[in-house]
Amino acid sequence: MSAPGEKIAFVPLPKPDDLTSLILRTDFGDDGAWDAVRIALDAAGEYPHATYVSDVRFAAVNVQALLDEEAAAEEDDRIVDLFLADATTMEDPDHPLLAVDLWDEPGRTFRVPAQWFPDVSANLSIANMDFADFADAADGSGTFRGFDGG
């Protein structure tokens, strides 16, 4: 814990060095649930689409804190988007990650169930589609279930 007024050293968000999407674990209440999320995500696609980060410094982190952290990063160290494995992800049988835009519309979010994650990740990673393409196609609950409503 830092003392009031003490400057805390900035630590940039981890940046995948490949074409996978960053998934930050923010809920640390159930390691079995985290394992189930990773298994579901890995089973959803033929190729790896995720770089998993399970670091307690991200426990219960909110979107604003992530935006602030990215704003403090050098431009070359910034990431465009990421996915949070939060309490909803852990508890829901579809394991819907919270997708977070950090670049075009910082703070915009939508949910993406594990089965749709490879499509979203691949298209965002190669800039074939924009974050807004998926967010705009989300249903009334804010969840992307494919472009035909899955």
Side-chain angles (χ1 to χ4, degrees), residues 36-54:
V37 167
R38 290 183 300 150
I39 289 167
L41 291 168
D42 290 343
E46 186 177 340
Y47 304 102
H49 292 284
T51 295
Y52 299 106
V53 175
S54 180

Side-chain angles (χ1 to χ4, degrees), residues 99-139:
V100 181
D101 186 347
L102 299 172
W103 195 263
D104 289 325
E105 296 178 68
R108 188 171 187 192
T109 63
F110 66 90
R111 291 260 173 207
V112 59
Q115 78 179 83
W116 295 107
F117 175 74
D119 293 334
V120 174
S121 174
N123 281 293
L124 291 177
S125 294
I126 63 171
N128 185 49
M129 298 179 79
D130 294 325
F131 191 94
D133 294 325
F134 296 102
D136 290 347
D139 64 17

Side-chain angles (χ1 to χ4, degrees), residues 45-78:
E46 186 177 340
Y47 304 102
H49 292 284
T51 295
Y52 299 106
V53 175
S54 180
D55 182 335
V56 295
R57 85 179 182 99
F58 297 111
V61 71
N62 63 35
V63 171
Q64 187 58 54
L66 294 170
L67 293 172
D68 293 345
E69 189 158 329
E70 273 303 279
E74 297 292 327
E75 189 167 336
D76 288 346
D77 292 331
R78 292 185 184 172

Side-chain angles (χ1 to χ4, degrees), residues 37 87-96:
V37 167
T88 299
T89 307
M90 302 297 183
E91 295 165 3
D92 189 303
D94 290 333
H95 303 298

Side-chain angles (χ1 to χ4, degrees), residues 1-9:
M1 221 37 172
S2 60
E6 180 181 346
K7 184 168 174 91
I8 300 171

